[in-house]
Amino acid sequence: MLLEVKHIKKVYTTRFGSISVEALKDVNFSVERGEYVAIMGESGSGKTTLLNILASLDRPTSGEVILDGVDVGKIKESNLAQFRRDNIGFVFQDFNLLDTFSVKDNILLPLVLAGKHHNSIETMAMEVAEKLGISELLDKFPYEISGGQKQRAAVARAIITDPDIILADEPTGALDSKSSQELLELFEKLNKSGETILMVTHSVLAASHANRILFIKDGEVFHQIYRGDSSDEQLYKKISDTLTMLASGGDEK
C-alpha cells in the first residue's frame, strides 16, 4: 500500500481558544501504487484541509498519514521540505509558476533545490517536456503562454523528481474546457505509465477520469465509487447522482 490515512482528525481553534471547528472528524482510506483517485465533496467538507495534511503542509490534530511506509507525522519539521520534494509532486489550480523564471527553470526548480548536478537535470527537463508536449515552450516565460500550457509546465515540475504520488488541487479550476480536457487526458496517460495521482476537485468531469472517487461529508469519507467497467460517461452520471444525494442529506455510507 502506497498511502494509508488512518483516523485523521483536524480541529482548528481560534486564537484565544474560545471556538473550535472540526474540519476533519475521522478520515480513513488507502491508495495503492498506480491508482488514480479523485476526492470530492461540498465546499467546507474538508477536502483542501485533507490535501494539505497529505502534502505535509499541515499537521493533523490526531491520526496518521503513512506514505510508502513512512509515518509523515514523525518527520522532523526541519526535514519536511526535503521529504515533500523527494516524494510528492504538486499540481495547483493557479499553477504556482515563477514569472521571472523560464518554463525550463520552473520545471527544474525542485531538482536545483535538491542540489542535483546541472548537466544531468538539463537532460531530464528535455525528456519530461517532450513527454508532456511542451518542448517548444522551454525558453518562454509563464506570462507568454496559455493557461493550459502553464498547467502542463506545472505537471512537468511535479513529475520531474519521480515522486511517489502526485497531489493535484483543483487542477482544471483555472482552465477553459478544451485545456481541461487536454490536462485530464494527460493525467490518464501519466497514470497508465505508472504515476499515482490523488486529485481534489469540484469538477464532475475531472473526477469521471479517475478510477476511484471518494466523497467527503462532515469530515469523513462518506461514500466511494469504483470505475469498474464504467465508461467516463457512465461514471459521470454515478458521480452526479452521488453529489445530488450528498446535497439532499442522503445517508448512504
Side-chain angles (χ1 to χ4, degrees):
M1 196 63 63
L2 175 63
L3 175 68
E4 296 176 84
V5 178
K6 301 179 178 180
H7 303 293
I8 289 294
K9 180 177 182 177
K10 181 65 179 180
V11 178
Y12 291 102
T13 305
T14 55
R15 185 176 175 186
F16 299 107
S18 57
I19 301 174
S20 293
V21 177
E22 191 175 53
L24 298 173
K25 187 183 294 181
D26 184 24
V27 176
N28 298 274
F29 67 93
S30 57
V31 177
E32 293 185 26
R33 195 176 295 277
E35 270 202 283
Y36 182 0
V37 179
I39 295 178
M40 301 194 79
E42 295 179 297
S43 295
S45 61
K47 302 186 303 297
T48 299
T49 298
L50 175 60
L51 194 74
N52 287 339
I53 289 171
L54 298 181
S56 74
L57 297 169
D58 195 4
R59 300 274 195 179
T61 304
S62 60
E64 296 176 313
V65 174
I66 299 171
L67 181 61
D68 200 18
V70 176
D71 186 339
V72 178
K74 292 182 179 176
I75 300 173
K76 291 181 180 177
E77 200 72 37
S78 57
N79 296 330
L80 271 177
Q82 181 180 345
F83 175 80
R84 283 193 291 268
R85 193 166 59 236
D86 293 345
N87 299 280
I88 303 170
F90 297 96
V91 180
F92 302 95
Q93 176 176 341
D94 56 359
F95 321 126
N96 280 20
L97 299 174
L98 300 173
D99 269 342
T100 53
F101 281 28
S102 67
V103 169
K104 180 170 72 174
D105 288 341
N106 269 285
I107 293 170
L108 289 177
L109 188 58
L111 297 179
V112 172
L113 292 172
K116 301 293 184 184
H117 192 269
H118 186 266
N119 290 342
S120 63
I121 66 177
E122 285 275 329
T123 303
M124 294 172 72
M126 296 299 291
E127 289 174 353
V128 76
E130 185 174 351
K131 185 176 183 179
L132 271 58
I134 54 172
S135 298
E136 74 282 1
L137 303 177
L138 288 176
D139 293 326
K140 291 184 179 293
F141 288 83
Y143 57 81
E144 297 179 306
I145 62 178
S146 71
Q149 290 169 331
K150 287 180 186 178
Q151 197 60 294
R152 282 178 175 260
V155 173
R157 180 186 56 193
I159 67 173
I160 198 165
T161 57
D162 192 24
D164 287 320
I165 191 167
I166 296 171
L167 299 180
D169 186 10
E170 300 284 0
T172 62
L175 302 179
D176 59 37
S177 57
K178 181 175 182 291
S179 297
S180 294
Q181 185 62 36
E182 289 173 352
L183 180 73
L184 294 170
E185 289 171 2
L186 175 61
F187 271 16
E188 283 190 46
K189 179 181 172 183
L190 290 171
N191 177 243
K192 285 174 182 173
S193 72
E195 299 284 356
T196 307
I197 301 172
L198 191 149
M199 169 177 64
V200 163
T201 183
H202 279 101
S203 166
V204 177
L205 176 64
S208 68
H209 284 256
N211 294 320
R212 179 160 59 112
I213 301 92
L214 300 175
F215 297 87
I216 304 287
K217 182 182 180 183
D218 299 331
E220 297 182 88
V221 176
F222 170 81
H223 187 58
Q224 63 179 327
I225 295 174
Y226 287 87
R227 171 180 293 276
D229 296 326
S230 300
S231 65
D232 287 356
E233 292 78 13
Q234 290 169 329
L235 194 56
Y236 185 102
K237 185 175 188 310
K238 289 179 183 178
I239 294 167
S240 296
D241 290 346
T242 301
L243 290 174
T244 300
M245 178 183 67
L246 277 169
S248 65
D251 58 3
E252 181 178 345
K253 194 85 172 185

